[in-house]
C-alpha cells in the first residue's frame, strides 16, 4: 500500500482522530444530555446541569457531539442561541456580560455601555429575544467551561442570575457547567445552591459503569474506530488497510502494550496523541506493534529522571548525598553544610581527581535548587545564611537510581549511589 492511496488513508485517519465528535461507551450519557437540550429548545423548559469528570474524560466532546445534532433540528437557529463562556477567559462578570451580549448578537441594543446591575442587564438581554404577540422567546443554552472558576467571581453574581432565570418562567434557558472538580457543589454559595437543580452527570475515562466490556476491550474498540477506514469512504486499499488493523488489535503483544497504556493513563487524549504520532511516523506500511510500543515508551519516561540525567557529575554527587541523608535521618530536612560535609567525606575517600572548591559546590547546589529538584522548607528563615537554610528533596530514591544507571559515571559514584548507607 504505497503512494497516493496510502497518503489518502493517512489524511483521512488524521482528520478522523483530530475532529472526532463521537464518544463510544457514553451512549446513555449522550442520550440524557440530548433529551435535556431538546426540552429547552422545543418545549421551552429551563434546566441546569453539571458535567463532572477528570480532564480527558470527554466532557467537551460529549457536549460538542450533542450540540452538532441539535443544530441540525428544524428551525434551530431561529428558535435557539448557544452562548459559550470559559472560566479562564471570562474572569469577571463584566467580561462575561460583554461576551453574552456579543454571542446573542445584541451589540446594537446595548452598545459599549453596561448599565445597572448584572441582573438588570441579563433581564434586558433575554427580553430582547422575545417576539410576537404571545411574547415567545428564543431559548438560550449557556455552556460554562471550567465551571469551578466562575465560583470565584464576586458574590457569584453570574451563576446566581443564570440559575435564578432557569428556575423562573421568564425565559427558557439551559445552563451546562463543565468541571473536573468533584467538590464543585461545595464551592457554590447557599443562595446559588438553592437555585441550582442539583442535576449532575459524572463522566470517567473508559466504558460506562453498566457496560460489560473490560478497559482493554474498550480501548481496542476505540483504536479500531480511529484507525479503520469506514466503508462509505471509497479509497483504494481500504480493505487491505482495515484487515491489517484487525490483525494488529488481535496481536497479543499489541494488546499487552495497550494494557500498559491503560495502567499508565486511560485518558482519551493520550490515546489519540499516540495514534497520531504513529500515523506521522508511518512510511508506506500499516502501523506495527513496535511503533506503538516506541511511542508508549516515550510516554512512560519519567521527566524527572531525564532532568537528573542532564546533571553534571558534581551535581549528581550532591543529589546522592541528599538521598543518603534522607535515608539515614528518615526524611528530615537538610542544609548545604550537611550535604557538603557528606560529599567531602565521599570525595576524599573515593575520588582521585582534584578537589572541587567550596564556591563551585555551592553554585552546583543553587543550580539544583533552580531546577526544583529540592525546595526550601516553609518560607525559609531570612536570618540564616544560604548555607544553613533547610531544604527537602523532591526526587525519589528510585528516580535517582534510574538516572545513575543511565549516566556514564565513574564506578565509585555508581556504587555509592546504590549503597544503602555511608
Amino acid at each position: 500500500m504505497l503512494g497516493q492511496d496510502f497518503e489518502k488513508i493517512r489524511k483521512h485517519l488524521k482528520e478522523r482522530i483530530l475532529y472526532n465528535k463521537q464518544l463510544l461507551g457514553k451512549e446513555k450519557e449522550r442520550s440524557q444530555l440530548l433529551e435535556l437540550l431538546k426540552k429547552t429548545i422545543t418545549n421551552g423548559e429551563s434546566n441546569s446541569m453539571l458535567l463532572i469528570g477528570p480532564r480527558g474524560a470527554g466532557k467537551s466532546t460529549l457536549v460538542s457531539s450533542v450540540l452538532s445534532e441539535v443544530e441540525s433540528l428544524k428551525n434551530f437557529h431561529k428558535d435557539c442561541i448557544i452562548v459559550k463562556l470559559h472560566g479562564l477567559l471570562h474572569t469577571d462578570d463584566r467580561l462575561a456580560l460583554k461576551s453574552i451580549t456579543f454571542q446573542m448578537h445584541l451589540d446594537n441594543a446595548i452598545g459599549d455601555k453596561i448599565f445597572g446591575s448584572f441582573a438588570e442587564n441579563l433581564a434586558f438581554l433575554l427580553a430582547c429575544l422575545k417576539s410576537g404577540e404571545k411574547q415567545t422567546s428564543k431559548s438560550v443554552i449557556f455552556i460554562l467551561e471550567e465551571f469551578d472558576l466562575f465560583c470565584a467571581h464576586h458574590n457569584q453574581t453570574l451563576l446566581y442570575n443564570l440559575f435564578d432565570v432557569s428556575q423562573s418562567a421568564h425565559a427558557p434557558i439551559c445552563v451546562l457547567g463543565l468541571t473536573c472538580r468533584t467538590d464543585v457543589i461545595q464551592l457554590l454559595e447557599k443562595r446559588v445552591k438553592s437555585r441550582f437543580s442539583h442535576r449532575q452527570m459524572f463522566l470517567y475515562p473508559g466504558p460506562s459503569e453498566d457496560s460489560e466490556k473490560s478497559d482493554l476491550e474498550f480501548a481496542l474498540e476505540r483504536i479500531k474506530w480511529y484507525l479503520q477506514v469506514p466503508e462509505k469512504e471509497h479509497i483504494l486499499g481500504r480493505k487491505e488497510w482495515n484487515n491489517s488493523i484487525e490483525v494488529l488489535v488481535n496481536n497479543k503483544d499489541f494488546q499487552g502494550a495497550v494494557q500498559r497504556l491503560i495502567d499508565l493513563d486511560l485518558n482519551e487524549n493520550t490515546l489519540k496523541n499516540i495514534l497520531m504520532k504513529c500515523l506521522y511516523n508511518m512510511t508506506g506500511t500499516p502501523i506495527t506493534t513496535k511503533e506503538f510500543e516506541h511511542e508508549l515508551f516515550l510516554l512512560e519516561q519519567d521527566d524527572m529522571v531525564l532532568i537528573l540525567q542532564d546533571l553534571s557529575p558534581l551535581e549528581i554527587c550532591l543529589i546522592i548525598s541528599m538521598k543518603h541523608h534522607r535515608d539515614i535521618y528518615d526524611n528530615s530536612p537538610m542544609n548545604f553544610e550537611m550535604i557538603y560535609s557528606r560529599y567531602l567525606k565521599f570525595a576524599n575517600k573515593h575520588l582521585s581527581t582534584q578537589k572541587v572548591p567550596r564556591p563551585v559546590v555551592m553554585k552546583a547546589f543553587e543550580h539544583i535548587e533552580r531546577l526544583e529538584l529540592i525546595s526550601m522548607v516553609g518560607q525559609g528563615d531570612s536570618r540564616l545564611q544560604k548555607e544553613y537554610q533547610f531544604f527537602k528533596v523532591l526526587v525519589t530514591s528510585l528516580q535517582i537510581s534510574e538516572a545513575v544507571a543511565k549516566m556514564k559515571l565513574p564506578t565509585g559514584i555508581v556504587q555509592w549511589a546504590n549503597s544503602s548507607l555511608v
Side-chain angles (χ1 to χ4, degrees), residues 115-382:
F115 51 87
S117 66
F118 183 92
E120 291 170 342
N121 278 280
L122 184 62
F124 175 75
L125 291 175
L126 294 174
C128 289
L129 299 177
K130 293 184 178 180
S131 60
E133 294 180 359
K134 294 183 180 180
Q135 291 293 296
T136 56
S137 176
K138 280 189 176 185
S139 302
V140 186
I141 298 173
F142 288 91
I143 311 293
L144 276 62
E145 294 264 9
E146 302 293 344
F147 178 86
D148 51 288
L149 297 180
F150 289 100
C151 298
H153 287 200
H154 180 65
N155 291 334
Q156 297 184 357
T157 307
L158 171 68
L159 298 182
Y160 174 78
N161 283 283
L162 289 179
F163 287 148
D164 187 50
V165 173
S166 70
Q167 288 284 338
S168 65
H170 295 153
I173 76 168
C174 180
V175 183
L176 288 180
L178 283 66
T179 179
C180 59
R181 291 195 57 168
T182 54
D183 63 341
V184 66
I185 295 295
Q186 307 304 319
L187 302 178
L188 297 175
E189 292 182 1
K190 189 175 181 181
R191 66 190 187 115
V192 180
K193 199 183 298 184
S194 66
R195 282 160 175 77
F196 174 50
S197 66
H198 288 268
R199 187 183 284 110
Q200 301 173 64
M201 179 183 291
F202 292 89
L203 288 178
Y204 297 100
S208 300
E209 292 182 1
D210 55 353
S211 174
E212 296 181 357
K213 295 177 183 175
S214 65
D215 288 343
L216 178 59
E217 291 172 335
F218 178 77
L220 292 173
E221 186 178 343
R222 294 296 289 143
I223 291 171
K224 282 178 63 176
W225 190 90
Y226 279 127
L227 295 183
Q228 287 190 328
V229 182
E231 291 184 8
K232 63 180 181 180
E233 300 293 333
H234 301 293
I235 302 175
L236 291 176
R238 178 185 62 81
K239 288 185 178 180
E240 185 182 348
W241 172 271
N242 287 350
N243 289 338
S244 70
I245 298 302
E246 192 72 40
V247 171
L248 178 69
V249 296
N250 290 324
N251 183 283
K252 294 296 182 183
D253 292 336
F254 180 77
Q255 291 180 4
V258 173
Q259 185 61 56
R260 278 166 52 200
L261 175 61
I262 293 170
D263 295 339
L264 182 68
D265 188 359
L266 196 54
N267 191 314
E268 181 84 359
N269 290 333
T270 304
L271 174 62
K272 289 165 69 173
N273 287 338
I274 288 182
L275 295 180
M276 280 296 290
K277 289 178 181 178
C278 289
L279 288 173
Y280 273 112
N281 293 332
M282 285 193 309
T283 56
T285 56
I287 295 173
T288 63
T289 302
K290 186 177 179 181
E291 290 170 346
F292 188 88
E293 286 182 329
H294 174 70
E295 298 301 331
L296 179 59
F297 171 74
L298 295 178
L299 182 67
E300 288 174 328
Q301 282 189 313
D302 192 331
D303 291 340
M304 195 65 80
V305 173
L306 296 177
I307 294 173
L308 288 170
Q309 285 180 247
D310 288 335
L311 296 181
S312 67
L314 172 59
E315 290 164 345
I316 201 69
C317 281
L318 293 180
I319 290 289
I320 296 170
S321 298
M322 296 172 191
K323 168 184 175 290
H324 287 307
H325 179 95
R326 182 175 60 186
D327 292 344
I328 294 169
Y329 295 103
D330 196 22
N331 291 321
S332 63
M334 62 201 76
N335 58 33
F336 172 76
E337 288 296 336
M338 296 175 180
I339 299 308
Y340 182 61
S341 174
R342 188 170 296 280
Y343 163 73
L344 277 184
K345 184 179 177 182
F346 166 76
N348 291 333
K349 212 182 264 190
H350 298 90
L351 296 183
S352 57
T353 56
Q354 187 178 3
K355 290 183 181 178
V356 181
R358 178 188 170 94
V360 176
V361 181
M362 185 64 188
K363 285 291 182 182
F365 186 86
E366 291 172 346
H367 184 234
I368 290 171
E369 182 188 0
R370 286 196 299 273
L371 290 173
E372 297 183 359
L373 300 177
I374 59 175
S375 68
M376 195 175 291
V377 176
Q379 298 298 318
D381 191 340
S382 58

Side-chain angles (χ1 to χ4, degrees), residues 23-35 62 66 201 203 208-211:
L23 272 178
L24 290 180
K26 300 289 187 291
E27 289 78 13
K28 181 180 177 182
E29 291 83 351
R30 189 181 187 281
S31 175
Q32 291 175 351
L33 183 57
L34 180 62
E35 186 65 26
L62 177 64
V66 172
M201 179 183 291
L203 288 178
S208 300
E209 292 182 1
D210 55 353
S211 174

Side-chain angles (χ1 to χ4, degrees), residues 400-413:
I400 295 170
S401 299
E402 187 177 341
V404 168
K406 294 178 179 180
M407 296 172 71
K408 293 182 179 179
L409 295 169
T411 306
I413 297 178

Side-chain angles (χ1 to χ4, degrees), residues 14-27:
K14 286 179 184 176
E15 292 175 352
R16 190 171 174 84
I17 293 173
L18 286 174
Y19 307 116
N20 163 53
K21 288 188 177 181
Q22 180 179 343
L23 272 178
L24 290 180
K26 300 289 187 291
E27 289 78 13

Side-chain angles (χ1 to χ4, degrees), residues 386-403:
K386 183 78 172 181
E387 294 90 328
Y388 300 101
Q389 296 282 3
F390 281 95
F391 292 84
K392 60 181 178 181
V393 187
L394 302 180
V395 289
T396 66
S397 298
L398 186 62
Q399 288 170 329
I400 295 170
S401 299
E402 187 177 341

